[in-house]
Amino acid sequence: QSALTQPASVSGSPGQSITISCTGTSSDVGSFDLVSWYQKYPGKAPRVIIHEVSKRPSGVSNRFSGSKSGNTASLTISGLQAEDEADYYCCSYVGIRSYLIFGGGTKLTVL
Amino acid sequence: QVQLQESGPGLVRPSETLSLTCTVSGGSISSSYWTWVRQPAGKGLEFIGRIYSSGSSNYSPSLKRRATLSIDTSKNEFSLKLSSVTAADTAVYYCARYELGHFDYWGQGTLVTVSS
C-alpha cells in the first residue's frame, strides 16, 4: 500500500495559520480514528503532536490542532513561530492486516 | 519515564541480515506494542512492524517477507531482523512504543549502512 498523501511543502509567515492535509483511503484514514501527527527535526526522533485525530498530548502547544473528514485528515498550526519549521508526518492504522502507514511528510517553512 | 535505546551493527553487507535490538528502561515491556520505524536519508518515515508482549506481530506488507520481530520480556528488549538487505535498506532505524493509537516514546535512532 502506498504512503498516505501529504503536500511536499507548505510555508507561512510568523503569526499566520497553515494546514497540512493527509489523504488516505477507506481502509485507513476513512475507517479509523487512529490518525496521529509527528513533528520531526533533522537528526532528532519524531515527536507526537496529535493523536486519535484531534487529541493533543500533554505539553504540546494548543496552536496545534487536528481534524478529519472522510479519507482526509488535517493538521492546523496557528500563530506560526520560527520553531515550528520542521517536517511533519501523519500516520494511520490500516485495518487490513493491522499495520500502520505514514504519509510522505511535509516540510514546513516559516518565512 | 520510558526510554528506548537501539543497538546493533552500523554496517551490514549486501544480501546479509540486519539485526537490531531495542532495550527498554523505565517501564515494563510486558504491555503495549513495540515497533520499528526507519527513515532513509532524504526520505520519509516508514513503518516496519510492531510486536506485542505476547509475541503477536504485524508487518508492513512491503517488508513482511524479509522482516522478523521478536521480544524478550525477561530482558525488557525486542529485536528486528531484516534479511537479504540491499543499499535501499540503508536508513536510520528507530524503535518506538505504540500506545493508544500513537508512537509516544522513541529511541534516538541508529544509522545502518548497507555496503560491501
Side-chain angles (χ1 to χ4, degrees), chain A residues 42-109:
Chain A
K44 299 292 187 180
R47 176 181 78 123
V48 62
I49 52 176
I50 294 290
H51 65 93
E52 295 171 83
V53 176
S54 60
K55 296 180 180 179
R56 201 169 44 248
S58 174
V60 173
S61 171
N62 59 10
R63 298 185 299 105
F64 295 92
S65 62
S67 62
K68 188 183 85 167
S69 178
N71 295 339
T72 298
S74 298
L75 171 71
T76 297
I77 308 174
S78 60
L80 272 179
Q81 300 179 0
E83 66 201 48
D84 298 330
E85 187 163 292
D87 294 325
Y88 292 84
Y89 293 89
C90 61
C91 180
S92 176
Y93 174 78
V94 184
I96 300 173
R97 301 177 195 170
S98 301
Y99 64 97
L100 301 164
I101 189 168
F102 283 98
T106 298
K107 180 175 181 59
L108 169 62
T109 300

Side-chain angles (χ1 to χ4, degrees), chain B residues 57-97:
Chain B
S57 57
N58 308 107
Y59 298 91
S60 166
S62 63
L63 293 169
K64 184 175 183 178
R65 294 182 184 179
R66 299 193 293 125
T68 302
L69 269 59
S70 59
I71 191 165
D72 188 335
T73 54
S74 67
K75 294 182 178 180
N76 238 36
E77 62 184 36
F78 61 105
S79 300
L80 165 69
K81 291 188 184 299
L82 187 65
S83 64
S84 305
V85 297
T86 69
D89 295 308
T90 294
V92 175
Y93 285 74
Y94 295 96
C95 58
R97 188 178 82 167

